[in-house]
Amino acid sequence: MTIANTDRHSVSRTRHVERPVEAERLSAALNAIAETGEPTSPEIRKRILAELKAHLGEGREAIRAKLDEDGRGGLCAERLSALMDGLVRAVFDFACNWICPSPDALLESFCLAAVGGYGRGRLAPHSDIDLLFLFPSKQTPRSEKVIEYLLYILWDLGLKVGHGTRTVAETLKSVREDMTIRTAVLEARFLCGDRALFDELVRRFDTEIVAGTAREFIAAKLAERDQRHARSGVSRYLVEPQVKDGKGGQRDLQTLFWIAKYVYRVSSNEALVGAGLLSREEYRLFRRCDDFLWSVRCHLHFLANRPEERISFDVQPELARRLGYQKHPGMEAVERFMKHYFLVAKDVGDLTRIVSAELEEREQKNVPRLSRLVRSFRNPPRKIGDGSRFMVDHDRINVANDRVFESDPVNLIRFFHQAAASDLALHPDAVRLITHSLGRIDRAVQHDPEANRLFLEILTDPDHAEPVLRAMNETGVLGRFIPEFGKIVAMMQFNMYHHYTVDEHLLRSVGFLAGIESGRLAEDHPRACEVMPTLKDRTVLYVALFLHDIAKGRPEDHSTAGARVARRLCPRFGLTPQQTETVAWLVQEHLTMSITAQSRDLADRRTIQTFANVVQSLDRLKMLMILTVCDIRAVGPGVWNGWKGQLLRTLYAETGTMMTGRFEEARQSRAVPHAKARLAESLASWPEAERARMLDLHYPAYWLRVDPDRQARHAELIRSADSEHRKFAYEVRPLAFEGVTEVTLFTPDHPRLLSIIAGACAATGANIVDAQIFTTTDGHALDTVFISRTLDHDEDEQRRGERVALLIEQALQGRVRISEAMDSKARKKRRGEAFSIEPQISIENELSDRLTVVSIECLDRTGLLYDLTRGLSELNLDIASAHIATFGERAVDTFYVTDLVGHKITSQRRQSEIRMRLLGAIGGSSAAREQKAS
């Protein structure tokens, strides 16, 4: 196919764009400067550069102001490209006329073309400027000087310039060998110089490169797209998306145009309609998506003042403000902006499927008739189900006719049910018909018993639930069939904890449940996989997971509102009243086990009793444990770890023991006499005097809280320290399955020991997740902290733990000031600075029989635990245990404390003093005072 009009390579693809600062005025200004002296002198060059900087700065500022005024992202990109065109042409002309003037210049034909994104006629504020210098044969000394002058001027302006210097033949050779260069030249646009030379390149590119290679180009671009998605995150619902290269981003739309241009030689986005790839309605959607993404990207570049493509948390609020989003009840302005972004990303995915389907159909038609006939015999369409609705078409499920959803809208649910039953991917033609038929899912379909029965079977299918539900969501069926789900589609939560949008999180949680039921996750979650087959009703658990966050984005607590939604939806799904109540309870309490496990002392009897009172039955305990595992796993990569698993298993086991009446028996076995007898048995080889001393070394709390294996290791550590007369001894023990490293310290007690430990961990980048603090009868501290594992190999974690221990020893000896060691860490900018959390401090005496529980919830930061523990020690409080949980930017730290004589803190005046002191510590006042004092 030949190019009908080469002029399409020299103009903007869409519309005339007014230039903020006239290019002609720039050329005149440069000429005027050159006339005042020697054009090649450093002084003239300095003045030329200053004029160009002013021109570029004035132009960009005018374009930015226009963007703020009209919000037209695509037009902004065209204005920026036009600005750059004028500047490049002016410098090129100046170089030809003043730097290297030649009476024989016409004999030295060469041209300058824009390629890549710049060739498309659209630029983001800090995009690369890609140029192609084209020659009929080799360069001449004059042309070499012109190019050098132009490039150095552009670089001195701070522009990132990519360039190639080639003949037409060399260019064609490069595009044959490199698909990236081929795509860049596909977008080539004439700027200045010898127009005939540029036209020759276009003609030969079309006849020698494009002809007959459409299939190769399509395959390469789609493979490139998949690799790009893998690099930036395979889900389009990551809450810090890449606007350029992410799934559903700009590059996906550009890929569609590249393919259409290459295969059908279209010259503009509008031509996608003329080529039959998109309908008029679909093209309007294409334009809306394109303009929105350009608006986001241009604002992002202007805001960051660099080529930033990631919509990170710290820029999202300001982007929302600039784009005009307002706060609504239950949703911040930033959350409304990001929901719009994800809906656009979903629309881009829909457009990608539509064009892919059309290309696939045309590819089938382009196969020679005999080959098509042979292929049809090998893989003929065949009917499935009752044969009247659906068929298998090239190993994918398709509709038997275009009226299948019109004749019975319940078929929109049956289609996905059949896809799951037959284990088939969806045919693009069927997907397109589904998206055009969504309006047929009305209240009658939503309440149709057959439709709800089919949906429930899809939801509870352990082999296909997640992929089929995701397909229903991508096509819009899920949100139409369950309007409550539709409200949370593409909804993001503005925090660092959740990695995905709410709908994606729910689908992933169902997928993890399916993995547990099938046994695929037995290595990661042995207890959950062991318990799952013993459930009385697996359906209840699937429904509860699907609904547990369905009320996010409302002004009220989403757990309470979600339970109300569950009571309304479950009867519609066909669940019994008893099942409905259980689902509602699971939704209401879906955070309870996680919070209890991570922020309460699981060795405290009152903790277990309180939790057991909430759960009330073993079957509920089992379901809540599995639901909690799936919920945490679905939050995002790296959120689940073995330590959280260990805490959940401990809470599950202790609660189960209490509910079956064996708690007192188990507690009795851990009682002081029994615990001492067990340790004495394990120390049988020790001399009697040493063994007796060790058994008298600990207070009752130690014997009740520490398991026998740790008691034995502690005994060896203490014995070793005594025999070697060491004042400071430590043991480091990496725990791979739990995902933590245990660091145990034995040293003379110190009033600020825990704060020193916390500071040392902060200074070395170690994150404390739990701490056990004990004092021996001879005045020593025996403290154990558990730090999150960050390295793959135990020997590396061992060395890391030892560095923490040695820093603690140096701090106790006065050789290192913890505040100074933490200083470099504190100076680094944290992503959490984009967030604001009102501190919450609670002091409760009902959560433990003998300890006061102090809970702090606030914005996490480096050194927070150091400041909190220092504040508590300065208040003369004795910390018995600390439980540290972090949910993204939110820290939830809990301390079990007494006064110095072991009593609870009951005085209101004393509690107020603690609150005020901790509020000051949250602001970093402890460290600040220490710095000031030094």
Side-chain angles (χ1 to χ4, degrees):
M1 192 177 295
T2 59
I3 299 175
N5 179 8
T6 56
D7 284 347
R8 63 190 175 79
H9 287 269
S10 61
V11 295
S12 173
R13 296 290 189 271
T14 53
R15 61 179 75 84
H16 169 73
V17 179
E18 68 275 16
R19 280 177 273 184
V21 181
E22 288 297 326
E24 292 80 5
R25 184 159 63 88
L26 175 63
S27 293
L30 299 184
N31 291 336
I33 293 172
E35 289 170 352
T36 64
E38 171 54 47
T40 59
S41 69
E43 179 59 31
I44 293 297
R45 188 185 190 282
K46 184 178 179 181
R47 291 175 60 193
I48 291 291
L49 193 60
E51 181 68 26
L52 292 170
K53 283 184 176 178
H55 171 85
L56 189 59
E58 180 185 347
R60 279 183 169 167
E61 182 56 33
I63 292 169
R64 188 198 62 75
K66 278 282 191 183
L67 177 63
D68 289 340
E69 179 185 321
D70 60 29
R72 302 290 299 279
L75 195 54
C76 175
E78 291 173 14
R79 288 167 176 153
L80 287 164
S81 180
L83 173 67
M84 193 56 60
D85 286 354
L87 186 145
V88 169
R89 287 176 179 137
V91 178
F92 182 87
D93 290 343
F94 182 85
C96 289
N97 296 329
W98 293 96
I99 303 302
C100 301
S102 171
D104 299 324
L106 292 176
L107 301 178
E108 300 180 54
S109 67
F110 72 103
C111 81
L112 176 58
V115 293
Y118 181 31
R120 199 177 310 120
R122 287 184 166 191
L123 282 177
H126 292 278
S127 289
D128 296 356
I129 310 301
D130 295 323
L131 300 172
L132 174 63
F133 297 94
L134 200 60
F135 297 86
S137 56
K138 65 178 182 179
Q139 290 186 62
T140 65
R142 176 177 179 272
S143 63
E144 203 169 312
K145 286 184 179 180
V146 169
I147 294 170
E148 181 181 290
Y149 185 85
L150 172 63
L151 289 176
Y152 274 98
I153 285 289
L154 296 178
W155 287 329
D156 288 347
L157 287 171
L159 300 171
K160 187 175 180 183
V161 182
H163 70 284
T165 306
R166 303 184 182 94
T167 65
V168 172
E170 289 169 342
T171 303
L172 295 175
K173 182 177 183 294
S174 296
V175 300
R176 283 192 187 95
E177 298 169 350
D178 190 316
M179 197 61 72
T180 301
I181 298 177
R182 189 182 305 189
T183 307
V185 174
L186 176 69
E187 303 259 49
R189 180 170 56 89
F190 177 77
L191 287 177
C192 47
D194 185 350
R195 177 55 182 268
L197 188 60
F198 178 81
D199 289 346
E200 180 189 350
L201 172 65
V202 172
R203 178 182 57 79
R204 292 183 61 184
F205 179 79
D206 191 59
T207 57
E208 298 177 27
I209 303 299
V210 174
T213 61
R215 188 183 302 177
E216 173 195 3
F217 184 81
I218 292 172
K221 289 294 104 180
L222 294 181
E224 181 185 287
R225 179 198 63 186
D226 294 341
Q227 292 168 5
R228 187 176 69 250
H229 290 168
R231 289 193 303 270
S232 61
V234 71
S235 173
R236 67 173 56 91
Y237 302 115
L238 291 168
V239 294
E240 290 186 295
Q242 275 262 2
V243 66
K244 179 182 176 184
D245 291 329
K247 192 171 185 179
Q250 267 193 331
R251 191 68 84 198
D252 282 357
L253 285 181
Q254 290 164 359
T255 298
L256 298 184
F257 179 69
W258 288 335
I259 290 174
K261 182 174 184 181
Y262 198 94
V263 177
Y264 302 106
R265 311 309 289 136
V266 301
S267 59
S268 65
N269 291 339
E270 291 94 327
L272 292 167
V273 178
L277 294 174
L278 294 176
S279 68
R280 282 284 172 194
E281 181 182 350
E282 290 160 352
Y283 172 64
R284 284 193 290 271
L285 177 62
F286 183 103
R287 283 184 56 183
R288 288 197 300 273
C289 293
D290 189 47
D291 198 65
F292 174 80
L293 292 173
W294 270 116
S295 294
V296 172
R297 191 176 176 207
C298 288
H299 275 300
L300 184 57
H301 278 214
F302 279 129
L303 178 59
N305 198 29
R306 64 177 186 273
E308 179 60 68
E309 311 296 356
R310 183 164 168 259
I311 311 175
S312 56
F313 288 125
D314 57 331
V315 299
Q316 287 176 10
E318 178 59 19
L319 281 177
R321 188 194 67 77
R322 293 188 180 197
L323 289 163
Y325 291 87
Q326 301 293 322
K327 179 179 180 179
H328 279 195
M331 286 186 74
E332 298 293 329
V334 62
E335 292 172 332
R336 296 188 63 234
F337 157 54
M338 292 306 297
K339 177 167 184 172
H340 187 187
Y341 179 90
F342 291 121
L343 289 173
V344 167
K346 179 179 177 296
D347 288 337
V348 171
D350 292 342
L351 291 168
T352 300
R353 283 192 297 271
I354 289 167
V355 173
S356 297
E358 189 63 33
L359 290 171
E360 180 180 341
E361 183 176 340
R362 295 186 185 192
E363 173 65 20
Q364 293 294 330
K365 291 178 180 178
N366 288 334
V367 175
R369 289 184 59 85
L370 181 58
S371 298
R372 286 210 310 271
L373 185 61
V374 171
R375 187 177 296 177
S376 67
F377 278 128
R378 288 177 179 169
N379 195 17
R382 57 184 175 84
K383 294 182 178 180
I384 52 176
D386 65 3
S388 64
R389 303 185 184 105
F390 314 121
M391 64 179 181
V392 179
D393 186 354
H394 293 92
D395 297 321
R396 286 175 291 190
I397 185 171
N398 202 352
V399 292
N401 61 77
D402 290 345
R403 295 174 58 83
V404 68
F405 301 132
E406 180 183 349
S407 61
D408 184 358
V410 175
N411 284 336
L412 283 157
I413 310 300
R414 287 194 185 97
F415 177 84
F416 291 97
H417 185 269
Q418 186 66 61
S422 304
D423 194 22
L424 292 169
L426 312 187
H427 196 284
D429 288 350
V431 171
R432 197 171 194 174
L433 183 61
I434 287 169
T435 57
H436 290 150
S437 305
L438 292 176
R440 301 187 185 282
I441 303 179
D442 55 14
R443 185 172 177 80
V445 175
Q446 292 165 3
H447 291 268
D448 184 89
E450 174 69 3
N452 282 279
R453 181 187 66 79
L454 294 170
F455 170 75
L456 198 60
E457 289 182 10
I458 293 170
L459 175 60
T460 57
D461 182 344
D463 295 320
H464 303 99
E466 183 182 5
V468 174
L469 288 172
R470 181 167 287 108
M472 294 178 73
N473 193 33
E474 292 282 351
T475 56
V477 169
L478 194 54
R480 294 284 299 198
F481 185 63
I482 305 173
E484 293 85 352
F485 189 90
K487 293 177 182 178
I488 52 93
V489 168
M491 179 184 290
M492 69 90 71
Q493 300 163 80
F494 188 60
N495 60 54
M496 287 168 54
Y497 182 59
H498 291 91
H499 294 224
Y500 304 104
T501 55
V502 180
D503 55 327
E504 179 69 5
H505 168 70
L506 292 179
L507 301 186
R508 284 174 177 264
S509 67
V510 171
F512 280 113
L513 178 58
I516 287 172
E517 183 174 20
S518 66
R520 295 191 298 271
L521 297 177
E523 187 174 338
D524 294 337
H525 306 293
R527 182 60 54 84
C529 289
E530 173 189 308
V531 167
M532 185 74 191
T534 70
L535 295 182
K536 295 178 182 177
D537 191 343
R538 56 185 288 280
T539 298
V540 164
L541 187 52
Y542 273 97
V543 175
L545 262 172
F546 177 69
L547 298 179
H548 75 271
D549 276 347
I550 203 162
K552 281 285 180 75
R554 305 188 186 200
E556 59 188 309
D557 176 71
H558 79 280
S559 299
T560 302
R564 199 162 55 246
V565 171
R567 289 188 177 93
R568 187 168 63 250
L569 282 178
C570 287
R572 200 194 102 180
F573 293 160
L575 270 60
T576 66
Q578 183 178 355
Q579 288 177 311
T580 297
E581 195 52 41
T582 303
V583 170
W585 180 85
L586 285 167
V587 173
Q588 176 75 60
E589 304 294 340
H590 75 270
L591 295 174
T592 302
M593 191 169 193
S594 175
I595 292 171
T596 302
Q598 295 183 68
S599 62
R600 293 289 179 262
D601 186 350
L602 303 185
D604 192 304
R605 183 185 188 280
R606 183 70 72 88
T607 297
I608 307 304
Q609 182 65 64
T610 301
F611 180 68
N613 290 342
V614 173
V615 176
Q616 296 185 345
S617 78
L618 280 175
D619 205 53
R620 281 186 172 186
L621 175 63
K622 293 175 183 178
M623 287 190 287
L624 188 57
M625 185 266 289
I626 297 172
L627 183 147
T628 303
V629 170
C630 296
D631 188 14
I632 297 174
R633 279 297 304 267
V635 167
V639 175
W640 173 269
N641 56 43
W643 178 248
K644 290 175 183 175
Q646 180 61 44
L647 293 175
L648 289 173
R649 285 191 295 273
T650 300
L651 179 56
Y652 174 81
E654 293 290 311
T655 307
T657 299
M658 175 170 283
M659 296 177 77
T660 54
R662 300 195 305 272
F663 188 81
E664 289 304 323
E665 176 186 339
R667 183 176 175 83
Q668 188 65 30
S669 71
R670 292 197 300 265
V672 176
H674 288 79
K676 285 187 175 183
R678 275 196 306 268
L679 182 60
E681 186 178 342
S682 67
L683 305 181
S685 61
W686 285 27
E688 176 63 30
E690 284 188 54
R691 187 167 61 247
R693 176 180 173 276
M694 189 61 62
L695 297 179
D696 290 337
L697 199 58
H698 301 291
Y699 290 105
Y702 175 85
W703 300 106
L704 293 172
R705 295 166 58 85
V706 180
D707 63 77
D709 288 341
R710 282 198 175 89
Q711 290 174 4
R713 288 198 309 277
H714 291 169
E716 295 292 348
L717 176 66
I718 294 170
R719 187 188 194 194
S720 173
D722 287 347
S723 65
E724 297 173 12
H725 305 290
R726 285 183 288 146
K727 287 189 174 181
F728 183 88
Y730 67 86
E731 179 194 52
V732 176
R733 184 167 169 251
L735 302 172
F737 184 75
E738 288 83 356
V740 295
T741 294
E742 178 183 342
V743 182
T744 301
L745 310 170
F746 180 69
T747 186
D749 201 8
H750 187 287
R752 291 194 299 109
L753 178 58
L754 184 56
S755 67
I756 291 171
I757 294 172
C761 288
T764 55
N767 179 40
I768 297 177
V769 295
D770 207 72
Q772 291 183 347
I773 297 97
F774 298 104
T775 303
T776 61
T777 56
D778 64 353
H780 281 75
L782 182 61
D783 294 353
T784 299
V785 293
F786 299 88
I787 59 177
S788 295
R789 185 184 180 102
T790 60
L791 303 172
D792 293 333
H793 301 293
D794 282 353
E795 51 269 30
D796 294 331
E797 274 294 315
Q798 181 77 28
R799 286 190 289 269
R800 177 168 168 261
E802 289 171 357
R803 284 199 301 273
V804 173
L806 291 174
L807 183 57
I808 294 169
E809 182 178 21
Q810 291 170 352
L812 290 171
Q813 293 170 348
R815 293 157 53 195
V816 171
R817 291 190 70 85
I818 286 296
S819 57
E820 294 173 1
M822 290 168 51
D823 196 39
S824 61
K825 288 279 181 184
R827 276 199 299 264
K828 292 181 180 178
K829 184 177 179 180
R830 287 177 44 85
R831 292 167 65 210
E833 290 177 9
F835 302 91
S836 176
I837 297 175
E838 184 69 26
Q840 302 289 331
I841 299 173
S842 67
I843 301 174
E844 300 175 87
N845 284 307
E846 297 77 23
L847 297 178
S848 175
D849 290 334
R850 56 186 193 83
L851 300 165
T852 295
V853 179
V854 180
S855 298
I856 301 103
E857 184 174 338
C858 63
L859 185 67
D860 193 23
R861 60 170 172 81
T862 301
L864 173 65
L865 185 59
Y866 169 74
D867 285 324
L868 293 176
T869 51
R870 182 181 172 87
L872 291 172
S873 67
E874 290 176 350
L875 287 165
N876 295 319
L877 295 176
D878 189 14
I879 303 173
S881 68
H883 310 276
I884 316 303
T886 305
F887 303 91
E889 77 285 358
R890 184 183 300 270
V892 180
D893 297 347
T894 305
F895 303 93
Y896 282 66
V897 304
T898 64
D899 60 21
L900 292 182
V901 294
H903 295 156
K904 286 185 176 184
I905 313 302
T906 56
S907 163
Q908 290 296 317
R909 183 190 61 79
R910 185 79 165 119
Q911 290 184 8
S912 296
E913 182 184 3
I914 292 171
R915 285 192 179 90
M916 293 301 296
R917 184 66 185 79
L918 290 177
L919 283 172
I922 289 170
S925 60
S926 297
R929 275 203 309 278
E930 184 177 354
Q931 290 276 34
K932 186 175 180 180
S934 64

